Amino acid sequence: MTAALPNPTRRVRIDDVELCVHDAGQGPPLLFVHGFPLSHAMWAGQLGPLAASHRVIAPDLRGFGASDVTPGVVSMDRLADDLAALLDALQVREPVVFVGLSMGGYVGWSFVRRHAARLAALVLCDTRAAADAPEAQAQRRKMARHVLEHGTAALAEAMLPRLVSPATAAARPELVELLRGMIAAAPPAGVAAAQEGMAAREDATALLPSIGVPTLLVVGSEDVISPAAEMAAMAERVPGARLVVVPGAGHMAPLEAPATVNAALAEFLAGLGPAGRR
Ligand code: MLT
């Protein structure tokens, strides 16, 4: 008889909330930080394969998935501090490879500013360094009010066509349904609080030349939210950064093209030393 494996997804108390976290595998730690308004389930294509060689830690951020919600404004700094507290609670003492997608990348900029000593390397998928223009901030605040009054049903319909490429939507309808389920399950107060936090986020463009850890940027060639050209310009500003453009994928490149993204991750991770440093 084989011993039952522990369920890799559990709740962990940090500060004023409990976060739901998927924690599996052994080895150098990889911290996966999801996009808006999703959950750790968006890393479905990465968590299993990478747990063979690494400890994979993938939380639902405050306000999302099965984690607790705090209303009001949840800043990117708050989310980055939550991640540092989560690493403490999980007794992760060595620096981590931070892998963030889109809003997860915005949290990454705060993690670089506030917790640089905990960082071994950075992987930024389908994200932006620029802050929002005033019109985009106003749009986010409007959406925050809308979901608080009417729930998240309309959010899925508005977002889904922009999340994956037309080719992915045609060939992989189950991925669209997975995303629809994550969006529908997102608590309205969590969605609104993160929208307010993203609207208020700092511009990270000036931070890019000071990033002192190995950095990989990944973007779908068809991403209409964080376009490949914008990520190429970001890559030029980060010392030594590598850019991988995933052909045919949209904003959810890791979910849409896991084999390509995992190969890029594996090559990048192999270039880091055994303790996760180059
Ligand atoms: C995301 O995927 O996290 C969002 O597109 C980020 C944003 O709304 O700027």
Side-chain angles (χ1 to χ4, degrees), residues 173-208:
E174 75 282 6
L175 292 188
V176 177
E177 290 316 305
L178 178 68
L179 290 164
R180 189 192 304 282
M182 278 187 257
I183 298 172
V191 168
Q195 276 291 31
E196 296 284 354
M198 286 193 284
R201 76 188 190 279
E202 261 181 72
D203 194 297
T205 311
L207 183 71
L208 302 181

Short mmCIF file of all heavy atoms in Angstrom, two decimals, residues 173-208:
data_model
loop_
_atom_site.label_atom_id
_atom_site.label_comp_id
_atom_site.label_asym_id
_atom_site.label_seq_id
_atom_site.Cartn_x
_atom_site.Cartn_y
_atom_site.Cartn_z
N PRO A 173 -11.16 25.27 -26.51
CA PRO A 173 -12.30 25.87 -25.80
C PRO A 173 -12.30 25.56 -24.31
O PRO A 173 -12.82 26.33 -23.50
CB PRO A 173 -13.52 25.27 -26.50
CG PRO A 173 -13.01 24.12 -27.30
CD PRO A 173 -11.58 24.38 -27.61
N GLU A 174 -11.67 24.43 -23.93
CA GLU A 174 -11.66 24.08 -22.49
C GLU A 174 -10.84 25.11 -21.68
O GLU A 174 -11.12 25.33 -20.50
CB GLU A 174 -11.13 22.65 -22.29
CG GLU A 174 -9.63 22.44 -22.43
CD GLU A 174 -9.14 22.39 -23.90
OE1 GLU A 174 -9.94 22.64 -24.82
OE2 GLU A 174 -7.94 22.11 -24.10
N LEU A 175 -9.84 25.73 -22.32
CA LEU A 175 -9.07 26.75 -21.61
C LEU A 175 -9.92 28.00 -21.37
O LEU A 175 -9.84 28.64 -20.33
CB LEU A 175 -7.80 27.14 -22.39
CG LEU A 175 -6.72 26.07 -22.50
CD1 LEU A 175 -5.46 26.67 -23.12
CD2 LEU A 175 -6.41 25.46 -21.14
N VAL A 176 -10.73 28.33 -22.38
CA VAL A 176 -11.63 29.48 -22.23
C VAL A 176 -12.60 29.21 -21.08
O VAL A 176 -12.87 30.08 -20.24
CB VAL A 176 -12.39 29.77 -23.55
CG1 VAL A 176 -13.36 30.92 -23.37
CG2 VAL A 176 -11.38 30.08 -24.66
N GLU A 177 -13.10 27.96 -21.00
CA GLU A 177 -14.02 27.61 -19.91
C GLU A 177 -13.32 27.65 -18.56
O GLU A 177 -13.91 28.06 -17.56
CB GLU A 177 -14.67 26.24 -20.17
CG GLU A 177 -15.65 26.26 -21.32
CD GLU A 177 -16.58 27.50 -21.30
OE1 GLU A 177 -17.25 27.74 -20.29
OE2 GLU A 177 -16.60 28.25 -22.31
N LEU A 178 -12.07 27.21 -18.52
CA LEU A 178 -11.31 27.28 -17.25
C LEU A 178 -11.19 28.73 -16.79
O LEU A 178 -11.42 29.05 -15.62
CB LEU A 178 -9.91 26.67 -17.47
CG LEU A 178 -8.96 26.68 -16.27
CD1 LEU A 178 -9.46 25.74 -15.17
CD2 LEU A 178 -7.54 26.27 -16.69
N LEU A 179 -10.88 29.61 -17.73
CA LEU A 179 -10.74 31.03 -17.39
C LEU A 179 -12.09 31.61 -16.98
O LEU A 179 -12.18 32.37 -16.01
CB LEU A 179 -10.16 31.81 -18.58
CG LEU A 179 -8.69 31.49 -18.87
CD1 LEU A 179 -8.30 31.98 -20.27
CD2 LEU A 179 -7.77 32.13 -17.83
N ARG A 180 -13.14 31.22 -17.71
CA ARG A 180 -14.48 31.74 -17.38
C ARG A 180 -14.84 31.33 -15.94
O ARG A 180 -15.36 32.14 -15.16
CB ARG A 180 -15.51 31.17 -18.35
CG ARG A 180 -16.90 31.82 -18.23
CD ARG A 180 -17.96 31.03 -19.00
NE ARG A 180 -17.63 30.84 -20.39
CZ ARG A 180 -17.76 31.77 -21.34
NH1 ARG A 180 -18.25 32.95 -21.03
NH2 ARG A 180 -17.43 31.51 -22.59
N GLY A 181 -14.52 30.09 -15.58
CA GLY A 181 -14.84 29.62 -14.23
C GLY A 181 -14.07 30.40 -13.17
O GLY A 181 -14.62 30.76 -12.13
N MET A 182 -12.79 30.68 -13.44
CA MET A 182 -11.99 31.44 -12.46
C MET A 182 -12.56 32.85 -12.30
O MET A 182 -12.67 33.36 -11.18
CB MET A 182 -10.53 31.55 -12.94
CG MET A 182 -9.69 30.34 -12.62
SD MET A 182 -7.95 30.67 -13.04
CE MET A 182 -7.80 29.76 -14.55
N ILE A 183 -12.94 33.47 -13.42
CA ILE A 183 -13.45 34.85 -13.34
C ILE A 183 -14.79 34.87 -12.62
O ILE A 183 -15.04 35.72 -11.75
CB ILE A 183 -13.56 35.48 -14.75
CG1 ILE A 183 -12.18 35.56 -15.40
CG2 ILE A 183 -14.19 36.87 -14.67
CD1 ILE A 183 -12.17 35.99 -16.86
N ALA A 184 -15.66 33.90 -12.96
CA ALA A 184 -16.99 33.87 -12.34
C ALA A 184 -16.88 33.65 -10.83
O ALA A 184 -17.70 34.15 -10.06
CB ALA A 184 -17.82 32.77 -12.98
N ALA A 185 -15.84 32.89 -10.42
CA ALA A 185 -15.69 32.58 -8.99
C ALA A 185 -14.99 33.70 -8.22
O ALA A 185 -14.92 33.66 -6.99
CB ALA A 185 -14.90 31.28 -8.84
N ALA A 186 -14.46 34.69 -8.92
CA ALA A 186 -13.71 35.75 -8.22
C ALA A 186 -14.67 36.60 -7.38
O ALA A 186 -15.68 37.08 -7.89
CB ALA A 186 -12.98 36.62 -9.25
N PRO A 187 -14.37 36.78 -6.10
CA PRO A 187 -15.28 37.56 -5.24
C PRO A 187 -15.32 39.03 -5.69
O PRO A 187 -14.26 39.65 -5.88
CB PRO A 187 -14.64 37.45 -3.85
CG PRO A 187 -13.66 36.32 -3.94
CD PRO A 187 -13.22 36.23 -5.37
N PRO A 188 -16.53 39.60 -5.87
CA PRO A 188 -16.62 41.00 -6.34
C PRO A 188 -15.79 41.97 -5.50
O PRO A 188 -15.11 42.85 -6.06
CB PRO A 188 -18.12 41.29 -6.26
CG PRO A 188 -18.76 39.95 -6.47
CD PRO A 188 -17.86 38.96 -5.81
N ALA A 189 -15.79 41.80 -4.18
CA ALA A 189 -15.03 42.75 -3.34
C ALA A 189 -13.53 42.63 -3.60
O ALA A 189 -12.79 43.62 -3.55
CB ALA A 189 -15.33 42.52 -1.87
N GLY A 190 -13.06 41.41 -3.89
CA GLY A 190 -11.65 41.21 -4.20
C GLY A 190 -11.27 41.81 -5.54
O GLY A 190 -10.22 42.44 -5.69
N VAL A 191 -12.16 41.62 -6.51
CA VAL A 191 -11.93 42.19 -7.86
C VAL A 191 -11.87 43.71 -7.77
O VAL A 191 -10.97 44.36 -8.32
CB VAL A 191 -13.08 41.74 -8.80
CG1 VAL A 191 -13.06 42.52 -10.10
CG2 VAL A 191 -12.98 40.24 -9.07
N ALA A 192 -12.83 44.30 -7.05
CA ALA A 192 -12.89 45.77 -6.95
C ALA A 192 -11.64 46.30 -6.23
O ALA A 192 -11.04 47.30 -6.66
CB ALA A 192 -14.15 46.18 -6.21
N ALA A 193 -11.24 45.62 -5.17
CA ALA A 193 -10.08 46.10 -4.39
C ALA A 193 -8.80 46.05 -5.22
O ALA A 193 -7.95 46.95 -5.15
CB ALA A 193 -9.93 45.27 -3.11
N ALA A 194 -8.66 44.99 -6.03
CA ALA A 194 -7.45 44.89 -6.86
C ALA A 194 -7.48 45.89 -8.00
O ALA A 194 -6.44 46.45 -8.38
CB ALA A 194 -7.31 43.46 -7.40
N GLN A 195 -8.68 46.14 -8.55
CA GLN A 195 -8.77 47.17 -9.60
C GLN A 195 -8.34 48.53 -9.05
O GLN A 195 -7.60 49.27 -9.70
CB GLN A 195 -10.21 47.29 -10.13
CG GLN A 195 -10.59 46.29 -11.20
CD GLN A 195 -9.87 46.53 -12.52
OE1 GLN A 195 -8.74 47.02 -12.58
NE2 GLN A 195 -10.51 46.15 -13.61
N GLU A 196 -8.79 48.84 -7.85
CA GLU A 196 -8.39 50.11 -7.22
C GLU A 196 -6.87 50.12 -7.00
O GLU A 196 -6.21 51.14 -7.21
CB GLU A 196 -9.10 50.31 -5.88
CG GLU A 196 -10.62 50.46 -5.98
CD GLU A 196 -11.07 51.83 -6.48
OE1 GLU A 196 -10.21 52.72 -6.65
OE2 GLU A 196 -12.28 51.99 -6.72
N GLY A 197 -6.32 48.98 -6.59
CA GLY A 197 -4.88 48.88 -6.35
C GLY A 197 -4.07 49.02 -7.63
O GLY A 197 -3.04 49.70 -7.66
N MET A 198 -4.57 48.40 -8.71
CA MET A 198 -3.85 48.51 -9.99
C MET A 198 -3.93 49.94 -10.52
O MET A 198 -2.96 50.45 -11.09
CB MET A 198 -4.41 47.52 -11.02
CG MET A 198 -3.99 46.09 -10.74
SD MET A 198 -4.32 44.99 -12.15
CE MET A 198 -6.09 44.78 -12.01
N ALA A 199 -5.09 50.59 -10.34
CA ALA A 199 -5.24 51.97 -10.81
C ALA A 199 -4.21 52.88 -10.14
O ALA A 199 -3.71 53.82 -10.75
CB ALA A 199 -6.66 52.47 -10.55
N ALA A 200 -3.91 52.58 -8.89
CA ALA A 200 -3.02 53.46 -8.11
C ALA A 200 -1.55 53.04 -8.19
O ALA A 200 -0.70 53.66 -7.56
CB ALA A 200 -3.47 53.45 -6.65
N ARG A 201 -1.24 52.02 -8.99
CA ARG A 201 0.13 51.49 -8.93
C ARG A 201 1.13 52.48 -9.53
O ARG A 201 0.80 53.25 -10.43
CB ARG A 201 0.23 50.12 -9.62
CG ARG A 201 0.24 50.18 -11.13
CD ARG A 201 0.13 48.80 -11.74
NE ARG A 201 0.37 48.83 -13.18
CZ ARG A 201 -0.55 49.16 -14.07
NH1 ARG A 201 -1.77 49.49 -13.71
NH2 ARG A 201 -0.24 49.17 -15.36
N GLU A 202 2.36 52.37 -9.01
CA GLU A 202 3.46 53.23 -9.50
C GLU A 202 3.95 52.76 -10.86
O GLU A 202 3.95 51.56 -11.14
CB GLU A 202 4.66 53.06 -8.55
CG GLU A 202 4.83 54.11 -7.51
CD GLU A 202 6.08 53.79 -6.68
OE1 GLU A 202 7.19 53.94 -7.19
OE2 GLU A 202 5.90 53.38 -5.52
N ASP A 203 4.48 53.69 -11.63
CA ASP A 203 5.14 53.32 -12.88
C ASP A 203 6.48 52.63 -12.52
O ASP A 203 7.20 53.11 -11.65
CB ASP A 203 5.42 54.58 -13.70
CG ASP A 203 5.79 54.25 -15.12
OD1 ASP A 203 6.83 53.58 -15.33
OD2 ASP A 203 5.05 54.64 -16.03
N ALA A 204 6.76 51.50 -13.16
CA ALA A 204 7.99 50.76 -12.83
C ALA A 204 9.08 50.93 -13.89
O ALA A 204 10.13 50.28 -13.79
CB ALA A 204 7.66 49.28 -12.65
N THR A 205 8.85 51.78 -14.88
CA THR A 205 9.83 51.89 -15.97
C THR A 205 11.22 52.26 -15.45
O THR A 205 12.23 51.68 -15.89
CB THR A 205 9.35 52.92 -17.01
OG1 THR A 205 7.99 52.62 -17.33
CG2 THR A 205 10.18 52.87 -18.27
N ALA A 206 11.28 53.19 -14.50
CA ALA A 206 12.58 53.64 -14.01
C ALA A 206 13.28 52.57 -13.17
O ALA A 206 14.49 52.64 -12.94
CB ALA A 206 12.41 54.91 -13.18
N LEU A 207 12.51 51.57 -12.72
CA LEU A 207 13.09 50.50 -11.90
C LEU A 207 13.88 49.51 -12.77
O LEU A 207 14.83 48.86 -12.29
CB LEU A 207 11.93 49.76 -11.21
CG LEU A 207 12.22 48.64 -10.24
CD1 LEU A 207 12.81 49.22 -8.94
CD2 LEU A 207 10.92 47.88 -9.90
N LEU A 208 13.52 49.41 -14.04
CA LEU A 208 14.03 48.32 -14.88
C LEU A 208 15.57 48.26 -14.93
O LEU A 208 16.15 47.17 -14.75
CB LEU A 208 13.44 48.39 -16.29
CG LEU A 208 11.91 48.33 -16.36
CD1 LEU A 208 11.45 48.40 -17.83
CD2 LEU A 208 11.37 47.07 -15.71
#
